[in-house]
Amino acid sequence: MVALQGAPLAALIVSLILQGGSTLSVQLPLFDQSPLSDSKSQPHSSSSDKPLVDSESFQATISGDKLLERAQTLFKIAERSHHEYNRPTRVIGSQGHLGTLEYVLESIKKLGSYYNIVQQPFPAYSGSVFESRLVLGDEVAHSASAMSLTPPTKNKEPVHGELVLVSNNGCSADDYPANVEGNIAFIRRGTCAFGDKSALAGRAGAVAAVIYNSETGTLHGTMGTPLADHVATFGLDLVEAKPVLEKLEKGKAVDAIAYIDGIVQTISTSNIVIQTAGGDPENCVMLGAHSDSVAEGPGINDDGSGTLSLIEVATQLTKFRVNNCVRFAWWSAEEEGLLGSDFYASTLPAAENPKIRLFMDYDMLASPNFAYQVYNATNTDNPLGSEELKNLYIDWYEAHDLNYTLIPFDGRSDYDGFIRAGIPAGGIATGAEGIKTPEEAEQFGGKAGDWYDPCYHQLCDHLGNVNATAWELNTKLVAHSVATYAVSFKGFPEREPATVQGLSQYAQSVKYRGDFLFW
Ligand code: DTR
Ligand code: ZN
Ligand code: ZN
């Protein structure tokens, strides 16, 4: 699970959770940057001296002030990126993100032997598009958007060619006519991923690809994992595509110029996963938040809030004993397309997968114009148990006389890889770029017509961008979710083997990879 490579400046003895749940201490390289600070592990009294965790006492340990104090530390960490990015950020590869990982590790190491810690490295990709333009005939295509993780055009210069209409949805090599070679493929959205279409176009010799939308709206897509065959690829709005399409269908020629200047970098980053030394290792409740932000800002709400809630919950849990094991994860590269959680879930050994009874996602818990949102996971469309988890959140909000709304469970955060791996999942959030309705303003307060998080993916996602009430309250709910399953899975369905039909149904209904469409 952990690749031990490189010549680390800082090597630490970290307990490794082995596949079977046993533990081993190894020299685990951590960062090539500065050695971690010198905190001494606090020896903890044996777990058997402690009271069994109960939800009420555990929730009582959660304090909003402590969360806000941690947020100040996190913002200072984000500021370490200043010299490279001219702004605070915790994007993968930045000092701000490395500092975040260091902060998570340091905070957990202080808790002594209560947890075993694993750092799971994986290759992530980060793309930047500096400039792009698409000209169709004589017109600049204003809706054209270079896909995330697209390669640039050849030599980062404009390429010229005829637009060549690809048959069907361009998901098979046969759909690409011979004259795609040296020209620009014009492909309809649908059936397969944008990255697959781009690779097929590349293999057919296209110099660029344009994928036009099959429904209304702009097409901001991602290529997914970069492949050698990918060519520079744009998404295009249907309204702008239609006149071009009509000409091509009538056999008329349409010239195009495509230009993308950008880079795709491979960055080695890592997930951090910790597990209680106590509790039944065959039955784990797992929860996660993402440690990275977008490049545009420090990500204090997204997902500093979830990251810090998990640190605080993990810290307070050490006052108690657990019956079932509790596993926390801080995912990396969520913002690049859920890469860390996807890597973890898709590489779980077959014997390990069933030990995770459920996964709970905590991404954006403190939006300033918040709504209490619960992912609308069901047992019909998702692995059995997802609905019981949804009901746990609903019951808690109802018991506290609070309103909540159900939001689509559509692959926009780190639960996605778990559902694909057949593991029940769900979670709560407080809203991103969506607009608060007048009804929601009545239910939750705040401002109708504004985004739930007006600073979503922006520089202003800083210390002023959290609602302390929502954050503390939701962190208590995180504690409740942990306490409930750490005590017992009574009434919670046994894990079922994932059905191929169920998984393909989910895969077909989910079009997002994090913040981007991917098919
Ligand atoms: N992927 C998250 C934001 C996010 C999670 N779920 C939703 C639902 C609707 C909009 C946004 C989100 C991020 O890290 O940006
Ligand atoms: Zn985000
Ligand atoms: Zn997020």
Side-chain angles (χ1 to χ4, degrees):
M1 183 171 173
V2 175
L4 303 175
Q5 57 197 2
L9 288 177
L12 294 173
I13 303 289
V14 175
S15 290
L16 253 182
I17 303 165
L18 287 182
Q19 315 298 7
S22 54
T23 64
L24 173 76
S25 282
V26 295
Q27 285 276 111
L28 180 66
L30 286 176
F31 299 100
D32 283 344
Q33 275 64 34
S34 53
L36 300 182
S37 63
D38 229 16
S39 77
K40 301 274 175 294
S41 290
Q42 308 287 310
H44 273 253
S45 56
S46 125
S47 263
S48 56
D49 304 341
K50 300 177 181 180
L52 178 64
V53 65
D54 81 282
S55 181
E56 288 305 321
S57 339
F58 190 24
Q59 289 178 56
T61 65
I62 301 302
S63 125
D65 288 346
K66 282 198 192 133
L67 294 170
L68 292 171
E69 213 176 287
R70 288 188 185 278
Q72 296 199 358
T73 306
L74 194 66
F75 185 73
K76 284 200 190 106
I77 290 170
E79 283 185 315
R80 292 183 199 167
S81 302
H82 234 285
H83 65 280
E84 208 187 338
Y85 289 81
N86 281 324
R87 65 185 94 100
T89 175
R90 299 183 303 103
V91 68
I92 57 164
S94 68
Q95 290 301 320
H97 187 244
L98 289 169
T100 304
L101 296 179
E102 206 175 290
Y103 176 63
V104 172
L105 279 172
E106 281 302 302
S107 307
I108 302 305
K109 277 167 53 207
K110 280 183 194 157
L111 306 173
S113 57
Y114 193 88
Y115 294 104
N116 294 313
I117 306 171
V118 169
Q119 220 184 345
Q120 182 186 40
F122 65 93
Y125 307 98
S126 170
S128 306
V129 171
F130 307 122
E131 227 182 331
S132 69
R133 186 156 313 116
L134 180 68
V135 181
L136 301 173
D138 302 330
E139 310 268 338
V140 172
H142 294 288
S143 74
S145 100
M147 295 231 171
S148 165
L149 297 177
T150 178
T153 42
K154 193 172 177 201
N155 300 328
K156 304 185 177 182
E157 281 176 1
V159 292
H160 174 260
E162 295 220 338
L163 278 184
V164 176
L165 188 58
V166 168
S167 307
N168 305 310
N169 285 342
C171 293
S172 149
D174 307 342
D175 293 338
Y176 292 75
N179 63 336
V180 163
E181 182 149 12
N183 285 310
I184 298 173
F186 199 63
I187 316 164
R188 193 181 132 91
R189 176 182 174 197
T191 312
C192 62
F194 304 137
D196 296 344
K197 294 177 198 235
S198 180
L200 286 164
R203 266 172 236 149
V207 293
V210 177
I211 300 172
Y212 64 92
N213 211 343
S214 50
E215 49 193 61
T216 49
T218 44
L219 191 49
H220 292 299
T222 180
M223 308 280 279
T225 306
L227 298 175
D229 287 329
H230 279 167
V231 286
T233 301
F234 287 89
L236 185 70
D237 185 318
L238 183 58
V239 174
E240 251 184 328
K242 260 196 180 146
V244 175
L245 195 57
E246 278 163 17
K247 281 189 195 157
L248 293 176
E249 280 170 345
K250 285 184 191 149
K252 292 187 184 162
V254 181
D255 277 355
I257 300 169
Y259 166 55
I260 296 178
D261 178 11
I263 45 163
V264 177
Q265 287 168 286
T266 306
I267 295 174
S268 176
T269 183
S270 46
N271 296 321
I272 296 173
V273 182
I274 67 166
Q275 182 170 318
T276 51
D280 175 5
E282 301 299 307
N283 286 286
C284 294
V285 48
M286 184 162 191
L287 60 161
H290 65 88
S291 60
D292 61 315
S293 76
V294 290
E296 285 78 5
I300 297 302
N301 182 35
D302 182 14
D303 185 23
S305 58
T307 288
L308 301 177
S309 292
L310 259 61
I311 294 176
E312 195 52 32
V313 166
T315 303
Q316 298 304 329
L317 186 62
T318 61
K319 295 175 176 155
F320 303 93
R321 177 167 55 85
V322 291
N323 288 336
N324 294 318
C325 98
V326 183
R327 193 180 291 181
F328 295 77
W330 288 267
W331 308 120
S332 185
E334 189 268 2
E335 298 291 8
E336 314 302 327
L338 316 179
L339 303 184
S341 52
D342 186 56
F343 182 83
Y344 179 87
S346 64
T347 59
L348 269 174
E352 284 300 306
N353 176 311
K355 296 178 184 171
I356 305 174
R357 295 292 299 272
L358 77 163
F359 172 72
M360 311 185 293
D361 187 56
Y362 296 121
D363 184 1
M364 304 182 72
L365 300 185
S367 303
N369 193 26
F370 70 91
Y372 293 125
Q373 302 180 332
V374 179
Y375 288 122
N376 194 7
T378 67
N379 284 349
T380 328
D381 297 336
N382 310 117
L384 187 64
S386 304
E387 196 160 320
E388 278 76 4
L389 174 60
K390 172 177 80 175
N391 290 334
L392 174 117
Y393 299 126
I394 291 176
D395 291 347
W396 192 89
Y397 284 126
E398 284 181 347
H400 290 79
D401 273 332
L402 293 162
N403 292 307
Y404 63 90
T405 55
L406 296 178
I407 58 162
F409 197 49
D410 58 2
R412 289 197 65 180
S413 195
D414 289 310
Y415 52 80
D416 184 70
F418 287 83
I419 296 290
R420 287 173 196 276
I423 298 170
I428 56 169
T430 48
E433 86 281 22
I435 289 175
K436 187 174 254 186
T437 63
E439 299 76 56
E440 287 177 330
E442 295 223 329
Q443 289 179 304
F444 305 106
K447 195 154 172 235
D450 276 9
W451 284 7
Y452 302 107
D453 180 351
C455 288
Y456 178 60
H457 284 184
Q458 296 163 58
L459 181 58
C460 58
D461 186 4
H462 52 42
L463 285 173
N465 196 45
V466 287
N467 180 293
T469 310
W471 194 7
E472 182 183 75
L473 197 119
N474 274 334
T475 308
K476 284 178 186 284
L477 178 48
V478 175
H480 171 68
S481 66
V482 169
T484 303
Y485 299 119
V487 170
S488 168
F489 285 111
K490 197 159 170 256
F492 193 85
E494 293 293 331
R495 279 290 310 278
E496 276 195 334
T499 66
V500 173
Q501 195 211 354
L503 295 182
S504 81
Q505 236 171 333
Y506 175 80
Q508 275 164 28
S509 69
V510 164
K511 295 191 169 141
Y512 284 97
R513 266 284 184 282
D515 207 27
F516 296 102
L517 286 161
F518 84 116
W519 75 270

